[in-house]
Amino acid sequence: MTNILLVTSSPRGPQSHSTRFARDIADSLSARSGGAIVERDLGATSLPHITAAYIDGRIAPPETRTPEQTEAVDLAQSLVDEVQAADVIVIGSGMINFGPPTQLKAWFDHITWPGVTFRYGATGPMGLLPNKKVYLVTATGGVFSEGSYAPFDFQTTYLTHLLGFIGLRDIEVIRVEGTLVSPDAARAAIASTEAQIRAALERAA
Ligand SMILES: Cc1cc2nc3c(=O)[nH]c(=O)nc-3n(C[C@H](O)[C@H](O)[C@H](O)COP(=O)(O)O)c2cc1C
């Protein structure tokens, strides 16, 4: 059985392409393996931005933490626990101003935790999460996989870097791109995404 963590982050609710396709991937993996899906819908329920209580609390010995620090650290720990418990992680991210949505950034700010999910060693930074498969669905109004906008895809580059930084290097990127270029481009984008997902799931079979 494969435990699946589905992390969606679009603020656009049912209109979201990244949520739709991330959910499709999670459902297919679940149907195939009988695995359970744990959902973390950051678009519906945003995490707080990290605060001094979290930053100071996570380095303070547990018995010395203030109630506020304990609450902040416990929240981050519960998010790390979800990641740890998963065999496969499916993430949906829809580009906002050339990067991921702030909802997803807040999730990474909680789980990117020195001594817990990464550490600095003699040879530099080291991810501490055990490697596991990640499907990263990135939705963008424009086209970023090629062409003049490719250098500005800070969403995919940032997310793949950060995942690798905490130890998650086995990443399949699925793009939904060009949906705002024209109606024809939107139709082609959806067809392309469906084909990318089929191919990714076949590789995983
Ligand atoms: C506030 C806002 C900012 C956006 N910024 C960009 C952008 O910088 N580049 C881009 O190609 N598309 C941009 N878009 C379009 C979204 O990336 C596109 O609609 C995508 O499908 C959103 O993901 P979602 O469908 O999962 O919500 C933006 C959309 C919104 C609402």
Side-chain angles (χ1 to χ4, degrees), residues 39-191:
E39 284 193 46
R40 176 59 67 173
D41 184 347
L42 304 168
T45 309
S46 294
L47 295 168
H49 287 141
I50 58 167
T51 58
Y54 170 58
I55 295 165
D56 298 338
R58 69 185 185 180
I59 54 171
E63 64 281 5
T64 68
R65 287 177 190 147
T66 66
E68 196 189 0
Q69 289 173 342
T70 300
E71 189 184 341
V73 175
D74 285 353
L75 170 62
Q77 186 63 59
S78 70
L79 299 170
V80 171
D81 289 346
E82 282 180 354
V83 172
Q84 293 274 19
D87 302 302
V88 179
I89 303 171
V90 186
I91 299 173
S93 178
M95 181 179 276
I96 301 287
N97 300 326
F98 298 95
T102 185
Q103 288 85 346
L104 188 57
K105 172 75 163 58
W107 183 76
F108 274 102
D109 288 343
H110 281 84
I111 68 163
T112 307
W113 184 346
V116 175
T117 55
F118 78 93
R119 71 178 170 82
Y120 284 99
T123 55
M126 207 183 129
L128 296 179
L129 288 173
N131 200 16
K132 49 188 88 190
K133 187 85 184 176
V134 178
Y135 294 89
L136 173 62
V137 179
T138 60
T140 53
V143 171
F144 289 84
S145 63
E146 59 183 13
S148 58
Y149 274 87
F152 310 116
D153 182 5
F154 304 114
Q155 172 171 240
T156 314
T157 50
Y158 175 75
L159 293 174
T160 53
H161 173 75
L162 207 42
L163 288 164
F165 187 73
I166 57 177
L168 304 174
R169 300 190 175 281
D170 186 3
I171 307 165
E172 289 261 11
V173 176
I174 311 284
R175 289 178 185 266
V176 198
E177 61 174 351
T179 49
L180 296 182
V181 171
S182 70
D184 279 351
R187 277 187 287 277
I190 301 299

Side-chain angles (χ1 to χ4, degrees), residues 1-4 26-37 87-88:
M1 203 173 89
T2 305
N3 292 317
I4 301 153
D27 286 346
S28 297
L29 294 170
S30 171
R32 180 188 288 179
S33 72
I37 301 175
D87 302 302
V88 179

